[in-house]
Amino acid sequence: MKEKTGMILAHAGEEYDQYFNAIVPPVFMNSLNIFPTVDEYYDSDKRDKHTYCYGRVQNPTVRILEEKITELEKGVESYVFSSGMAAATAAVLTACSCGGHVVCIRTAYGPLKDFLQNYCREHMNVRTTFIDGDDPKEIEEVLEDDTQLLMLESPSSVVFRVQDIKKAAEAAHAKGALVYIDNTFCTPIYQNPLELGADFVMHTASKYLGGHSDIIGGSLTVKDPELGKRVRTIREQIGSIIG
């Protein structure tokens, strides 16, 4: 396991032939990319992961980071954001529509709870039910027919309370709800929530992913490519890609 993890961290996403075989991939600072013709620029159906047009949408350096996180979390796609909060709010905006219902544990990140209680309630008419989350039966009891998202954080920050991710996901999916989890404090080294049923896995990179308290960033990993497209669209439209 440690050997495989080391290979992912050292080499995943690093296609050396794309960067003149440089052992350390360059940091791309440009905001724009050029195309041979206008038609090729607009022909988005033919774009692949090496086609870049604008830094708010995608960036070669960012893509390497995303592929590393994807492999570590055993997902299909990851998207990195300017902060963990940007990643968390993108998940909410991806999963929720006006008039919906969210179930969230009480020990979730404070600003995220503020976002649910204030912005989402005021502007989207989204109701939020807060729970302890320790008992799977409690989760099952508060899920409603219009619940769109179950938000977990296991272990949760500071107090390290845990939830039964697998049972919680089964209950949420039975109601047609998606499952989000903040996996920051376990990291993908010790826990892969997608394998337990989660739909979104979030990390705030200012913690273990960064490791030195010198960066701000966030990530969302998904196992459904269609869900990933929706996440990417939200990130593009609200402009929250990492620098």
Side-chain angles (χ1 to χ4, degrees):
M1 174 63 182
K2 289 183 179 180
E3 181 179 349
K4 183 177 180 181
T5 300
M7 289 293 290
I8 292 172
L9 292 170
H11 300 294
E14 299 186 17
E15 299 173 73
Y16 301 110
D17 59 328
Q18 294 289 323
Y19 315 114
F20 301 100
N21 294 315
I23 192 65
V24 178
V27 176
F28 285 82
M29 304 296 290
N30 55 293
S31 61
L32 294 169
N33 301 78
I34 63 172
F35 290 77
T37 66
V38 172
D39 290 338
E40 288 186 55
Y41 171 79
Y42 282 110
D43 195 357
S44 59
D45 290 340
K46 292 184 179 179
R47 293 181 183 177
D48 60 21
K49 66 181 180 180
H50 293 302
T51 303
Y52 305 94
C53 61
Y54 187 42
R56 177 167 52 80
V57 181
Q58 187 55 292
N59 168 280
T61 313
V62 168
R63 183 192 61 78
I64 294 174
L65 174 58
E66 290 172 340
E67 293 203 6
K68 290 180 188 295
I69 295 173
T70 298
E71 288 202 37
L72 289 170
E73 278 294 1
K74 301 180 181 179
V76 295
E77 290 181 12
S78 294
Y79 294 95
V80 292
F81 294 79
S82 53
S83 67
M85 186 61 187
T89 54
V92 175
L93 295 174
T94 299
C96 298
S97 57
C98 289
H101 177 239
V102 173
V103 175
C104 180
I105 65 164
R106 289 191 178 92
T107 51
Y109 185 50
L112 175 60
K113 293 191 292 183
D114 290 341
F115 176 71
L116 292 170
Q117 290 177 294
N118 295 301
Y119 182 89
C120 293
R121 178 178 57 82
E122 180 179 350
H123 297 282
M124 299 172 63
N125 192 30
V126 169
R127 297 175 296 111
T128 302
T129 300
F130 291 101
I131 59 172
D132 290 334
D134 304 57
D135 185 351
K137 290 183 179 180
E138 180 194 17
I139 296 175
E140 189 174 349
E141 288 171 357
V142 298
L143 291 166
E144 302 177 12
D145 291 338
D146 62 348
T147 302
Q148 297 172 332
L149 184 63
L150 169 62
M151 308 198 75
L152 308 175
E153 185 174 317
S154 184
S156 53
S157 175
V158 184
V159 295
F160 285 81
R161 297 185 69 164
V162 297
Q163 301 95 55
D164 188 321
I165 301 169
K166 185 175 181 180
K167 289 184 178 179
E170 289 173 351
H173 291 156
K175 288 289 188 179
L178 295 174
V179 178
Y180 159 102
I181 183 169
D182 183 334
N183 195 35
T184 298
F185 277 85
C186 247
T187 80
I189 304 300
Y190 297 107
Q191 179 172 267
N192 294 121
L194 294 178
E195 295 188 324
L196 299 172
D199 299 289
F200 301 95
V201 175
M202 194 281 286
H203 287 273
T204 171
S206 61
K207 309 301 189 299
Y208 293 123
L209 288 191
H212 302 282
S213 298
D214 58 356
I215 65 168
I216 296 291
S219 69
L220 278 181
T221 304
V222 298
K223 56 186 175 184
D224 177 6
E226 290 303 312
L227 188 60
K229 289 180 182 178
R230 290 159 57 190
V231 170
R232 177 172 174 163
T233 298
I234 288 290
R235 184 183 70 175
E236 177 181 345
Q237 291 177 344
I238 64 178
S240 57
I241 192 172
I242 198 169

